[in-house]
Amino acid sequence: MELGSAEHKQLLTRSIVRVAVKTATLGFILGFILMVPNFIRDNAFSTGLLYLGTAIIVGSLLYSFTIAYKKYQRIVKPFEIND
């Protein structure tokens, strides 16, 4: 496999996407765990945990997208310029 080949770019992109999906999944799991008390009993504390869980899910999605975009720009984009 040559550097800059289509197969090389595909493997780089696949690994970047895999890291982004793992990051988003961890955020989703943690956020959902924090949301569970609100499903069982509705009070002020569990509502606060619900908001925190939602913020963690949204934050992890934004973070994983940002990291994937930056890695793509830094790693894969230079190979496309040389084509």
Side-chain angles (χ1 to χ4, degrees):
M1 174 175 44
E2 230 177 89
L3 288 178
S5 67
E7 182 184 5
H8 182 245
K9 290 178 195 175
Q10 183 182 16
L11 288 173
L12 286 173
T13 305
R14 190 181 310 155
S15 66
I16 290 170
V17 169
R18 189 178 310 140
V19 169
V21 168
K22 285 181 183 180
T23 304
T25 303
L26 281 172
F28 180 75
I29 291 170
L30 181 61
F32 184 74
I33 288 172
L34 287 172
M35 290 179 173
V36 168
N38 193 43
F39 302 143
I40 297 169
R41 170 173 274 174
D42 189 24
N43 57 22
F45 182 73
S46 62
T47 303
L49 288 178
L50 176 77
Y51 291 141
L52 180 62
T54 305
I56 287 176
I57 289 173
V58 170
S60 70
L61 287 174
L62 290 174
Y63 178 72
S64 66
F65 175 75
T66 304
I67 292 299
Y69 181 74
K70 285 183 179 180
K71 281 187 176 188
Y72 180 81
Q73 292 294 323
R74 193 180 74 227
I75 296 173
V76 179
K77 201 69 163 176
F79 289 117
E80 291 178 358
I81 293 172
N82 295 333
D83 287 342

